[in-house]
């Protein structure tokens, strides 16, 4: 069964994300999303494995990116229906997918699923970029069947300026500003998630966070090199940093003694009564 999504009134289609730094047309965005899924899927899967998933669950992954979690859910729910939604589905259309996995091009702020129709709704690194995430949480909660689960994950920079490496701190702060300007990204959002979920009627709330540590010459450094390189032209064009400042900051990643935190991925999950 394919769950129909329907448009609801309100804002016009949100194309600010698509046109911004993290839009799918930006050079390197596909590679960044692949690194993001490799970096964050293990933590997300640890959380999903704590839920009583059954083979027949109906699930939606909102803003599914390259679709790795939707594919994971499709394997876990062979008799169910998984829908991977995204504003821009180009990376989802090309993935191999089983019959129980549908792809749907949707702006989560203007489309809807039927009330009481889903066992699980998941969104990672999506709501932090939306202008009114509180309303979207209420909307997503309304799609859940009684007993259904909502899992929301969003990154949060620790106070970036508190980094003991001033060059690196400046780069993190500039990236934060750039995301605010291009996408309206709200770095304070992640901390509000449990409160907003409680207000939306979710109970048994849980919260956890994974630190993203730089300086170990591993996958996380590869992710951050990709992010900084992708942001490089826009950081310079916006006047937030010079090329020399960015290069100096990125050189830290080559130093064996460098260890610092870039951000943490905050995960919150709860159940509709
Ligand atoms: C940072 S990526 C995260 C991708 C994936 N959730 C992950 O964590 O690997 C954010 C994704 O949300 C999508 N997105 C942004 N705004 C959206 C909206 N209003 N409705 C649906 N998807 C949106 C983007 O196109 C992008 O694929």
């Amino acid at each position: 069964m394919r769950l129909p999504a329907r448009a609801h009134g309100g804002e016009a289609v949100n194309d600010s994300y698509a046109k911004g730094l993290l839009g799918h047309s930006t050079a390197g965005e596909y590679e960044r999303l692949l690194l993001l899924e490799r970096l964050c899927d293990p933590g997300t899967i640890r959380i999903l494995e704590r839920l009583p998933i059954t083979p027949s669950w109906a699930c939606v992954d909102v803003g599914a990116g390259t679709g790795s979690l939707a594919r994971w859910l499709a394997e876990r729910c062979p008799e169910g229906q998984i829908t991977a939604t995204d504003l821009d589905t180009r990376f989802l259309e090309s993935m191999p997918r089983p019959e129980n996995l549908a792809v749907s091009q949707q702006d989560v702020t203007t489309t809807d699923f039927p009330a009481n129709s889903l066992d699980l709704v998941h969104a990672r690194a999506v709501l932090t970029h939306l202008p009114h995430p509180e309303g979207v949480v209420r909307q997503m909660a309304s799609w859940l069947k009684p007993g259904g689960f909502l899992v929301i994950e969003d990154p949060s920079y620790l106070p970036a300026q508190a980094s003991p490496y001033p060059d690196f701190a400046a780069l993190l702060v500039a990236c934060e500003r750039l995301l605010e300007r291009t996408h309206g990204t709200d770095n304070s959002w992640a901390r509000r998630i449990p409160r907003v979920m409680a207000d939306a009627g979710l109970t048994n709330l849980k919260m956890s966070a994974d630190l993203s540590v730089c300086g170990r010459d591993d996958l996380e450094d590869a992710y951050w090199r990709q992010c900084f390189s992708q942001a490089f032209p826009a950081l310079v064009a916006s006047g937030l940093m010079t090329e020399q400042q960015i290069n100096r900051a990125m050189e830290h990643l080559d130093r064996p003694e460098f260890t610092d935190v870039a951000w943490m991925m905050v995960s919150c999950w709860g159940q509709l009564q």
Side-chain angles (χ1 to χ4, degrees), residues 67-134:
S68 58
L69 286 169
R71 288 196 299 278
W72 184 88
L73 285 167
E75 263 181 40
R76 287 295 301 265
C77 308
E79 296 150 29
Q81 175 62 49
I82 314 303
T83 308
T85 79
D86 206 289
L87 208 52
D88 184 333
T89 52
R90 77 184 79 171
F91 301 148
L92 296 170
E93 300 291 353
S94 54
M95 69 176 176
R97 57 178 194 271
E99 282 209 342
N100 63 332
L101 173 52
V103 169
S104 177
Q105 200 225 330
Q106 285 181 33
D107 178 345
V108 69
T109 65
T110 55
T111 49
D112 220 348
F113 284 87
N116 303 329
S117 63
L118 298 171
D119 299 287
L120 170 69
V121 178
H122 170 263
R124 186 177 70 201
V126 182
L127 271 68
T128 189
H129 304 300
L130 301 181
H132 306 295
E134 292 84 357

